[in-house]
């Protein structure tokens, strides 16, 4: 009985993972290339800044995080966070034709 339960549970988790991926794809398809680029830029920068956040400190407010992300993006050189910096209207995958 345990093997059957385990197989059902694994199948459920796989189904839910596919559903989550489809939900993400559906939502992103509704956005303009610029909106997707802004979300990507902010998400990546948020992750980078979050990795540097000390675990023993309280998390800053949303407004402080947003302002820190924008400031950090504006300070980047090269092709990083181009949409958020205003250097491009939409995100282009590296190596993709422009």
């Amino acid at each position: 009985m345990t093997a059957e339960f385990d197989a059902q549970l694994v199948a459920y988790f796989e189904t839910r993972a596919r559903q989550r991926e489809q939900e993400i794809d559906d939502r992103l398809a509704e956005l303009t290339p610029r909106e997707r680029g802004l979300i990507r830029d902010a998400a990546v920068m948020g992750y980078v800044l979050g990795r540097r956040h000390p675990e023993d400190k309280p998390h800053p407010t949303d407004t402080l995080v947003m302002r820190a992300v924008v400031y950090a993006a504006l300070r980047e050189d090269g092709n990083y966070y181009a949409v958020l910096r205003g250097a491009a209207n939409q995100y282009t995958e590296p190596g993709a034709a422009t």
Side-chain angles (χ1 to χ4, degrees):
M1 178 118 143
T2 302
E4 180 182 327
F5 178 74
D6 289 344
Q8 289 175 338
L9 192 57
V10 167
Y12 169 77
F13 287 143
E14 289 173 347
T15 298
R16 283 299 298 133
R18 284 191 302 274
Q19 289 171 338
R20 282 190 299 275
E21 291 300 317
Q22 187 61 53
E23 290 170 7
I24 293 167
D25 290 343
D26 291 347
R27 181 62 185 116
L28 290 174
E30 296 172 0
L31 302 174
T32 67
R34 178 172 175 73
E35 290 168 334
R36 284 192 303 274
L38 289 169
I39 289 170
R40 181 199 167 276
D41 285 356
V44 171
M45 182 59 76
Y47 179 81
V48 168
L49 292 176
R51 301 266 306 172
R52 295 191 304 212
H53 184 75
E55 292 183 21
D56 61 335
K57 302 290 183 196
H59 199 277
T61 65
D62 291 353
T63 300
L64 291 175
V65 170
M66 179 194 66
R67 295 181 65 76
V69 166
V70 172
Y71 176 72
L74 293 173
R75 292 185 55 221
E76 285 292 331
D77 292 329
N79 295 321
Y80 299 110
Y81 317 111
V83 178
L84 197 54
R85 287 187 297 111
N89 286 328
Q90 67 188 47
Y91 174 72
T92 304
E93 287 289 339
T98 55

